Amino acid sequence: MTRLRLGLFDNSLTDYATLKAIDGVMGVVDGDNQLQIILGPGKAQTAKDLVEVQLHNTPSASDSAQNNDLSYITKANKDQIKSRQNGAIKGFFAKFATIFTPLIPGFIAAGLLLGIATLIEQNVILTDTSPNLLLVDSVSYIKVFSKGLFTFLGILVGYNAQQAFGGSGVNGAILASLFVLTYNATGTVGYYSGMTEFFGFAIDARGNIIGILIATILGAKVEQCIRRLVPDNFDMLLTSTFTLLIMGIITYLVIMPMGVYLFDGMSFLFKHLNSNPIGAAILAGLFLIAVMFGIHQGFVPVYIALVADQGFNSLFPILAMAGGGQVGAAIALFVRSPKGSLLRKQISGAIIPGFLGIGEPLIYGVTLPRIKPFITACIGGAAGGFFIGLVAMLGLPMGLNSVFGPSGIIAIPFMTSHDGVMPAMLVYFTGLIITYLTGFIVTYFCGCKNIDLS
């Protein structure tokens, strides 16, 4: 949404200094064999379209005499393979981004509608002795979208996951449906699968999203192996058929039981971390480092597990505090920098998006290049995380009403808890104020010494 991502043939030819000096470029990140140019929301897509036009009108690299030199090709291929080896973990989490990023607009829309409906329900309908029937029906209508999303979320994830790892999306959706179907003939929720056991083995689909990810990632590999063995003429008929039959057996006998243990363990671990002030402070303080290395997408399965277990995502508001620390640090840098300086101009353009939860311009354009303010911003985020963890420990756990949503002040209407939405929103807002203040104070006194403020 905010970055132009370029796959480069030779990273050594990149002129970072010139790139960073271009007006509108907020930062440049070298991600192994992928160059990321941070442009901000709404601009990355425009830049992508312009680059594609330019590439279309430019001779390909293979036409270059230099690229026909064997030593050059050998070096380029060696560097590319090495970068892939070094970036295996990054590459794995990058595929997580292709699974969940397309779902984010739906998460945000459903969460916003659910937040509005819950506010009306708790503060108008439930306190009214004779509620307006039109209002009651309107609230039911607004809430139905989130129910639809969370009921069939696994199928969407399964489709994207198997496709991301090299398989057919529809096979992933069908494997994911095994976790969505119900195996209780007398159950009133869900669609009955027609089977209560698998050849005498009990079926427990509680692993849900963890099991779906394992099944579809493995399913993509199985599908690739089968496709290599099946003659081309029979590919459409046999590849998916054998993939589903084999993966169905593995899913029922191995993945579902394993998924339950992983799901329960993950839920237990993060629920206790989130309700522990020290654990919450560490999570919030280190989250920007996870963003910097591109592994923050790995938290999304945890988000889904927490929503399924608690009814809300208690980890998200803790991690969102990290962005608040950046805002506080940026304000401190603005105050300490000379009037008319380029730094002030950069901060003034990025601070509003920062308040609205878009932190990349501040991270890559302001704090991270100067190191110390990045560290003090992380301390500010840790302070907010500590507060939310402390409140949870004292008896008011809260979180996002959706799997994913915006951060910053925009996230306030998305907050909920078992004690209502108003206390949750107040806790989140207070946490943000604490991060702003802590990030500002620590940066003002400790993060501005011996750094470039011009």
Side-chain angles (χ1 to χ4, degrees):
M1 295 180 182
T2 60
R3 307 183 189 192
L4 174 67
R5 300 168 183 265
L6 303 172
L8 303 181
F9 184 77
D10 186 354
N11 258 16
S12 66
L13 300 177
T14 304
D15 186 350
Y16 291 97
T18 303
L19 268 178
K20 292 176 181 177
I22 296 173
D23 189 30
V25 172
M26 298 171 175
V28 178
V29 180
D30 182 9
D32 293 328
N33 62 328
Q34 184 186 79
L35 182 72
Q36 301 174 16
I37 303 173
I38 299 150
L39 301 170
K43 299 176 183 176
Q45 181 64 40
T46 302
K48 173 179 175 290
D49 295 340
L50 292 171
V51 169
E52 286 181 341
V53 170
Q54 187 170 348
L55 287 174
H56 181 73
N57 297 327
T58 304
S60 65
S62 60
D63 295 332
S64 167
Q66 183 186 30
N67 291 339
N68 290 326
D69 179 71
L70 183 62
S71 61
Y72 183 89
I73 295 173
T74 302
K75 180 183 181 301
N77 288 341
K78 181 179 178 181
D79 290 344
Q80 190 175 31
I81 293 170
K82 186 177 179 181
S83 70
R84 285 178 178 173
Q85 291 171 339
N86 292 340
I89 295 176
K90 288 184 182 178
F92 181 81
F93 284 111
K95 289 182 179 178
F96 267 70
T98 65
I99 297 171
F100 294 107
T101 300
L103 304 179
I104 288 175
F107 288 145
I108 294 175
L112 180 59
L113 291 171
L114 179 60
I116 294 170
T118 307
L119 269 173
I120 297 171
E121 187 175 44
Q122 292 183 359
N123 295 284
V124 179
I125 296 176
L126 295 180
T127 58
D128 196 339
T129 54
S130 55
N132 185 307
L133 292 180
L134 179 61
L135 193 60
V136 173
D137 289 342
S138 298
V139 166
S140 298
Y141 169 61
I142 296 172
K143 290 173 72 173
V144 76
F145 299 103
S146 63
K147 292 179 180 179
L149 172 64
F150 293 123
T151 300
F152 299 105
L153 175 61
I155 293 177
L156 297 172
V157 171
Y159 184 96
N160 288 348
Q162 186 134 338
Q163 196 171 52
F165 283 86
S168 301
V170 66
N171 290 339
I174 296 171
L175 289 174
S177 72
L178 303 183
F179 293 82
V180 176
L181 292 170
T182 180
Y183 298 93
N184 181 359
T186 61
T188 58
V189 179
Y191 195 88
Y192 178 50
S193 63
M195 51 194 286
T196 58
E197 58 181 27
F198 183 74
F199 296 98
F201 292 92
I203 298 174
D204 188 349
R206 283 183 299 130
N208 210 312
I209 197 66
I210 307 301
I212 287 170
L213 286 169
I214 296 172
T216 51
I217 292 171
L218 179 60
K221 304 305 176 186
V222 170
E223 181 181 334
Q224 291 167 4
C225 293
I226 292 173
R227 180 162 281 116
R228 285 195 291 267
L229 298 174
V230 171
D232 292 342
N233 292 336
F234 294 96
D235 177 65
M236 185 176 292
L237 178 66
L238 298 180
T239 300
S240 291
T241 303
F242 285 127
T243 298
L244 293 176
L245 287 173
I246 293 170
M247 284 308 306
I249 296 171
I250 297 172
T251 297
Y252 282 126
L253 296 182
V254 180
I255 296 175
M256 280 189 179
M258 181 171 61
V260 170
Y261 287 113
L262 291 173
F263 179 87
D264 290 343
M266 186 181 294
S267 300
F268 177 85
L269 172 64
F270 280 94
K271 272 200 305 184
H272 285 75
L273 273 176
N274 297 348
S275 60
N276 179 298
I278 303 300
I282 292 172
L283 288 169
L286 297 181
F287 182 65
L288 288 180
I289 298 175
V291 173
M292 190 174 70
F293 285 108
I295 60 174
H296 57 295
Q297 297 291 349
F299 283 109
V300 179
V302 180
Y303 297 161
I304 298 173
L306 288 172
V307 171
D309 188 56
Q310 289 182 292
F312 52 80
N313 180 356
S314 57
L315 178 59
F316 191 89
I318 292 171
L319 300 183
M321 295 296 107
Q326 292 294 314
V327 171
I331 295 173
L333 290 173
F334 183 90
V335 173
R336 294 291 297 265
S337 60
K339 290 182 179 180
S341 64
L342 176 61
L343 178 58
R344 280 201 168 192
K345 180 182 176 183
Q346 291 173 332
I347 293 173
S348 62
I351 196 67
I352 298 301
F355 277 112
L356 300 180
I358 301 169
E360 288 185 336
L362 290 177
I363 296 170
Y364 294 104
V366 177
T367 62
L368 186 57
R370 293 168 173 83
I371 307 298
K372 284 183 182 178
F374 180 77
I375 296 171
T376 55
C378 290
I379 294 172
F386 181 90
F387 171 76
I388 293 179
L390 179 63
V391 172
M393 186 180 72
L394 295 175
L396 182 58
M398 47 75 70
L400 198 74
N401 65 10
S402 178
V403 171
F404 199 96
S407 56
I409 59 175
I410 297 181
I412 294 173
F414 289 74
M415 295 301 145
T416 189
S417 73
H418 296 308
D419 295 314
V421 296
M422 297 302 289
M425 289 193 290
L426 180 61
V427 170
Y428 178 77
F429 178 72
T430 305
L432 277 180
I433 298 300
I434 290 172
T435 61
Y436 295 155
L437 291 174
T438 306
F440 176 86
I441 293 169
V442 178
T443 305
Y444 187 89
F445 290 104
C446 305
C448 295
K449 187 178 181 181
N450 299 326
I451 66 166
D452 181 13
L453 294 173
S454 61

